[in-house]
Amino acid sequence: MADYDAIVIGSGAGGGTAAWALSRAGKRVLLLERGKTFDDPEAKQDEAEMLIRMRPYEDRDIWMNEKRRCLYVGGVTGGGTSLYGAVLLRPSPEDFHPGKWYDRYMSREQWDWPISYDSLEPFYEQAENLYHVAGSTADPMPHIGKRSKSYPQKPEELVPISKRIASGIRKSGLQPFRLPLAVDRAKCLRCPSCPGYMCPTDARASSLNRCVEPAVRDHGLDVWTACEATHLLTNSNTQTDRTVTSVRVERDDSTVEVSADKVFVAAGAIGTPVLLQRSGLGLESGQLGRNYMYHDGALGAGVFYHPTGAADIFAKQIGFTDLYFGTDEFPFKLGYAQALPIPGPLSLKDNLPLPIPDSLARWMHARIVTLAGAVEDLPQSDNRVQLRNDGGIDIRHRFHPFDTFRSKFFKAVLTKVMLASGAQLAFGATAEADETHTAHQVGTARFGKDPEIAVLDPNCRIFGTDNCYVVDGSFMPTSLGVGPALTIIANALRVSDHILREGFCNAPWLLLESPGHWVRPWVVNISGVVGMW
């Protein structure tokens, strides 16, 4: 008998959610997390500790484009969700058919995802409920998927600077909406800094506080932190029909092997291909580690004459999606735009090309407001994650010229919006020169129907194995026009749903009509249905 029914490797959006779903369904689950749980309360809102010294971020030996880098990638329990901005937007149904927009840049077999938006839609709703999203279905959200029911929470009222930016968006002929945020309004302290910082009250929903901790408390989930899964061990050396029997783990200066009936890999778009490469799995298509993507961000910043208040209170409230599919004048796919918290004085000084005194940094901090736009990073085979001979990680990444072309247009739009909002000065930037802020990283183990061009099947099982799945952002064949967090969470619920439907369980189940609805005596299932038989 195996030690566990399932082992989940990685506690971020995909892994933490899958561990919760499986353990809640009665499984014996072990969650392995390379990072530690961040437990220094004084450092959680300290700019120097969070953004300059980068204490909660990735600490592996990573080389980006032949330069050793420390990336802004979550390296603590909860992964990226412990540090993200909590905007959980649905993508457009058209995002699942990228060939409509990128036919010149993709082969024909890549024009469609192997699943549709409709197949994920019920899991988007479950994910929004699970992460307790605050939003408004009455707000206009052109082009992207919308929730049919009310959100679990109503959004906060707009602060004055958000109202001003919303007015500028309207003056620019666009439609602002309140961002759907996975933030518990009752706990939130309205900190002006949010993304990149640890939440001091756990108001911001993470896989740690919404999934892992409840599963430990209520459903017997076992969690090992500060340990690293180094190899997946199989029952065969052949390239097909292998069963992953156990995971080799480095823990407390020793190496142990732990077995399970199912293994779920969720180590992120960097960690997952590295683990699979080291284990000799997922290599058949030649695509493992390739197509590493993160959004080519565009930034528009406005400097106002008077302090805006955004340096003192949470002002990440407004977004728009009118340009998601371009315009008549610019008929190329773009993505969403959103307000961002203001970088702190230390970050301003760290990112400016010339040194400035502290007093000027504080003056700017009080007066700058920013908008950011997301442009899809096209999948390119040469953008890849590989193991180095010395055991380090080598990443090669360059944005496609078409990405850069679109992000420059988006930058110009965002700066015009800032001027329409009353800024005295507006300037912008794009992401192609930044090799550390790898926001929204996905790809590297894409799913598909054809094992010759994909690493995973449509249910995210690794081709060539019968019991090993990937449930982080690695599965995505394209990067969408919104942040990937909600899609990763929803897909982890979908894959868990599929596994349970296959009969992976410890006790009899009654399968109801809608996805995810199983009940057994005294058990609450993934969707929250309670029942007896």
Side-chain angles (χ1 to χ4, degrees), residues 20 125 153 177 218 263 272-273 377 386 417 433 436 496 506 521:
W20 171 84
E125 182 177 319
Q153 298 183 86
F177 60 79
D218 301 329
V263 174
T272 286
D377 180 6
Q386 291 179 290
V417 170
T436 58
S496 301
N506 296 327

Side-chain angles (χ1 to χ4, degrees), residues 64 87 166:
M64 171 69 85
V87 175

